Amino acid sequence: MTSYENIIVTRDRRTATITLNRPKALNALNEALMVEVVEAATTLDADRSVGAIVITGSERAFAAGADIKEMAAQSYQDMYLSDWFTAWDRLAAVRTPLIAAVSGYALGGGCELAMICDILIASDTAKFGQPEITLGVIPGIGGSQRLTRAIGKAKAMDLILTGRTISADEAERAGLVSRVVPAASLLAEASEVAHKIAEMSLPAVYAAKEAVNRSFESTLTEGILFERRTFHATFALDDRTEGMTAFTEKRPPKFTHH
Ligand code: HXC
């Protein structure tokens, strides 16, 4: 497996984990780290033996944001010409489910990275926020859009305009995270979720993720039509036949991911 400088990639059966690893900078998302996360995730996404990917940081910080020191000297022209942060869109296009396991700070780009993921599991120490406004900028990796869709306008405006940080409990009440667990069991919980998903039929999982994501991009009527046609298409899968046969035979299914 490729060796990286800012992340650690591990495999466990049909799952993989990408661990952000810039501890001295609280996993601040500099360009090198971004390139590595995107490269690792797209490589794993192309590997049909990977059914789910966990993205995590350290106990103290998932990621404390984009790297402010790297950005400080940049001009408008630099940002525009390099289309700064655009590579993160390639992570959002990954078809394999992404599970964010968040402990400690998930601020700015860190919160945005967690929101690119499909399932967000937080430790009870997690702190979420979009403090860009305190630096004289605004979110740049989708925060103004994904946070608003996740928790609604009132709360998104509150966080983005004041830059305040919220606890894991408040994030769960707001609908930003799906579960809050004790810090000590965060990775075990995320890994259990990843293994559970990875045991499902891979094409059915891709289709389910695509259908849910379509709800952010379409009207209800269009979204329901997309879901119905995709549901019909699952009847072409060997795994659909196996899943329903196993149910009637009262045994666990043996999916072949076809
Ligand atoms: C670069 C960072 C960093 C960041 C922390 N560090 N966050 N470096 N970019 N986003 C570095 C610190 O400079 C310091 O390095 C080391 O990590 C430890 O951080 P401390 O501040 O000493 O730790 P602590 O006192 O515990 O405070 C933790 C913290 C604070 C509350 C998370 O670090 C902080 O406020 N960070 C910035 C959070 C933020 O504003 N994020 C949004 C960034 S903008 P040294 O070398 O000094 O020891 C963004 C959106 C981009 O993400 C899109 C628009 C452009």
Side-chain angles (χ1 to χ4, degrees):
M1 190 165 280
T2 322
S3 79
Y4 296 102
E5 283 176 16
N6 301 282
I7 60 172
I8 299 164
V9 180
T10 53
R11 285 286 311 267
D12 179 15
R13 287 178 278 156
R14 289 184 48 77
T15 74
T17 299
I18 299 174
T19 305
L20 310 182
N21 189 33
R22 285 188 77 206
K24 285 186 188 145
L26 301 184
N27 291 331
L29 309 170
N30 64 2
E31 190 178 11
L33 182 145
M34 171 181 73
V35 166
E36 289 186 2
V37 170
V38 171
E39 154 77 20
T42 50
T43 303
L44 292 165
D45 191 40
D47 181 342
R48 301 286 164 255
S49 71
V50 176
I53 302 168
V54 174
I55 300 184
T56 194
S58 68
E59 208 174 316
R60 188 168 167 219
F62 177 73
D67 192 313
I68 300 166
K69 292 168 189 166
E70 188 178 57
M71 287 186 296
Q74 307 260 12
S75 66
Y76 163 73
Q77 288 87 338
D78 296 331
M79 297 306 254
Y80 183 63
L81 289 173
S82 65
D83 207 1
W84 199 257
F85 291 149
T86 201
W88 288 115
D89 295 347
R90 291 176 55 212
L91 183 67
V94 159
R95 296 203 293 168
T96 311
L98 302 173
I99 298 151
V102 176
S103 181
Y105 297 110
L107 302 179
C111 187
E112 293 170 298
L113 170 57
M115 290 191 292
I116 286 174
C117 296
D118 304 300
I119 298 178
L120 212 165
I121 302 178
S123 92
D124 50 12
T125 65
K127 293 178 194 67
F128 298 89
Q130 298 289 160
E132 290 88 346
I133 200 76
T134 67
L135 301 167
V137 292
I138 72 166
I141 314 175
S144 64
Q145 306 304 301
R146 290 198 180 92
L147 189 65
T148 308
R149 282 164 167 78
I151 67 176
K153 174 180 163 180
K155 215 151 181 105
M157 282 287 191
D158 179 352
L159 296 192
I160 290 170
L161 297 183
T162 68
R164 85 176 169 94
T165 296
I166 58 172
S167 67
D169 282 341
E170 188 173 353
E172 189 185 27
R173 283 198 303 277
L176 181 60
V177 313
S178 67
R179 318 178 181 194
V180 178
V181 300
S185 49
L186 176 69
L187 282 180
E189 184 96 3
S191 157
E192 197 182 314
V193 172
H195 282 300
K196 185 157 197 128
I197 293 169
E199 281 166 17
M200 306 298 175
S201 163
L202 187 65
V205 165
Y206 282 176
K209 170 169 169 169
E210 207 176 358
V212 173
N213 281 335
R214 185 52 73 107
S215 73
F216 293 107
E217 309 286 348
S218 64
T219 62
L220 182 61
T221 304
E222 285 300 317
I224 286 175
L225 180 62
F226 181 85
E227 179 197 79
R228 181 97 6 95
R229 294 290 173 252
T230 308
F231 164 71
H232 292 160
T234 60
F235 281 69
L237 297 175
D238 296 346
D239 285 342
R240 194 284 309 179
T241 310
E242 167 60 12
M244 292 192 174
T245 305
F247 177 82
T248 53
E249 292 176 356
K250 299 186 187 300
R251 61 169 176 82
K254 289 195 200 81
F255 292 130
T256 56
H257 310 293
H258 274 92

